[in-house]
Amino acid sequence: MAERALPGHIAAALAGAGGPADSAGQSWAGRDLSGDGNPLHNFDADDGSADAGYLAALAALEDGSGTEAQVVATLATARVFVPIVASLAEEAESDHGLVADKEADMALVTLTAPDGRKALPVFTSVPALQNWHPKARPVAVYAARAALSAVSEEAQLLVVDPGADITFVVRRPAMWALARQRDWTPSYADQEVARAVSAAVDVEPSVTGVELVQAPATATRSARGTVIAGGGAGPELRMVLHLAPGLDAQAVQGIAGLLQQRLAADPLFVERVDSLELKITR
């Protein structure tokens, strides 16, 4: 087969540059794109494995020596992979009745949580992503950047390694903290949240006490069946109200409704509490 000739303008450009060259006319011959002087991107030395700090914090959470906050803190500097998949556009017919080639658009993958909220999945390693969706393309980003993408997609959850041995859910307040590159304190350990709740209940004489604790729904379960005290979707905050005796059901319901209205009107509480579970004792 005869060698195919280059278009004249391209051949002239190559000849003027002394051979194959880049758009600035610099020859490719002898050039080396490796090394610190020519990084291809932020992760050019990345082998696709999970961040060691994240794995250590997750193992500590599993054995009971770590906390959710420590896991989220490791994500602040960790690289994750966001899955991108190709979605085919519809075929277009030309004026001559010929069908044009399909165009493929790359789309960000989102999930729907059991409670209906939108979630963005991210993966700590390439194998974890490929096991979940073999055709998904891994795009490496810092977890903070992934959290920012989740916010822009109006997602309320960041789900780390769905389908893996341990799936860790980063709930909305923690996800926002990652996106803003700020430290995160869980609402059940946040003293400012506790003060906001105290201010809301102090005006109710029928409330004799209040406790804020980590709700059981924050727990998750590993593939081995181990229950882990963190990483679940929530509700993450349990508010235990102690009421004076003698109140009927209607009075109790009225007190609970008023407290929920006051807390829903508190900007700090709304920002830092993803979801609330109310328990009443007498």
Side-chain angles (χ1 to χ4, degrees):
M1 181 180 294
E3 183 178 354
R4 184 176 179 180
L6 292 172
H9 67 287
I10 296 179
L14 291 176
D22 63 14
S23 58
Q26 182 178 354
S27 174
W28 291 107
R31 293 176 65 179
D32 183 5
L33 296 182
S34 64
D36 296 335
N38 292 286
L40 299 179
H41 51 71
N42 289 333
F43 311 103
D44 56 319
D46 197 331
D47 64 358
S49 59
D51 181 82
Y54 174 80
L55 293 180
L58 197 63
L61 181 66
E62 184 176 12
D63 67 24
S65 63
T67 65
E68 282 191 309
Q70 291 169 341
V71 175
V72 173
T74 64
L75 288 172
T77 57
R79 180 272 298 127
V80 295
F81 293 102
V82 176
I84 303 292
V85 296
S87 58
L88 291 178
E90 294 183 358
E91 294 177 332
E93 187 171 319
S94 69
D95 294 337
H96 303 288
L98 300 176
V99 177
D101 291 337
K102 291 182 178 179
E103 295 182 357
D105 296 324
M106 301 307 293
L108 192 67
V109 178
T110 58
L111 305 173
T112 301
D115 60 4
R117 289 189 289 175
K118 192 175 183 179
L120 178 69
V122 297
F123 297 85
T124 58
S125 69
V126 170
L129 185 150
Q130 291 176 334
N131 289 337
W132 180 73
H133 195 314
K135 294 184 179 180
R137 171 189 172 188
V139 176
V141 296
Y142 286 110
R145 182 67 182 82
L148 194 61
S149 296
V151 172
S152 69
E153 291 288 325
E154 299 183 349
Q156 291 78 44
L157 304 169
L158 196 69
V159 184
V160 184
D161 288 339
D165 183 33
I166 300 176
T167 298
F168 187 92
V169 176
V170 181
R171 297 181 294 275
R172 177 186 53 80
M175 186 182 74
W176 284 9
L178 276 176
R180 297 170 182 172
Q181 299 185 46
R182 297 177 181 175
D183 294 336
W184 172 70
T185 300
S187 59
Y188 50 80
D190 191 325
Q191 294 303 311
E192 292 187 26
V193 169
R195 284 193 287 271
V197 171
S198 294
V201 303
D202 284 348
V203 295
E204 290 294 337
S206 297
V207 178
T208 60
V210 61
E211 297 174 73
L212 298 179
V213 296
Q214 182 178 0
T218 59
T220 189
R221 189 183 296 270
S222 73
R224 299 182 297 276
T226 305
V227 176
I228 302 170
E236 92 277 12
L237 179 64
R238 171 180 280 185
M239 183 167 67
V240 183
L241 285 180
H242 301 279
L243 301 182
L247 298 173
D248 60 21
Q250 185 175 0
V252 171
Q253 186 176 5
I255 292 170
L258 285 173
L259 290 178
Q260 289 177 330
Q261 289 178 15
R262 289 176 189 147
L263 293 173
D266 187 325
L268 182 142
F269 187 89
V270 171
E271 178 181 343
R272 299 191 185 183
V273 178
D274 178 55
S275 44
L276 177 68
E277 175 185 294
L278 184 63
K279 182 177 180 180
I280 296 176
T281 63
R282 306 189 196 186

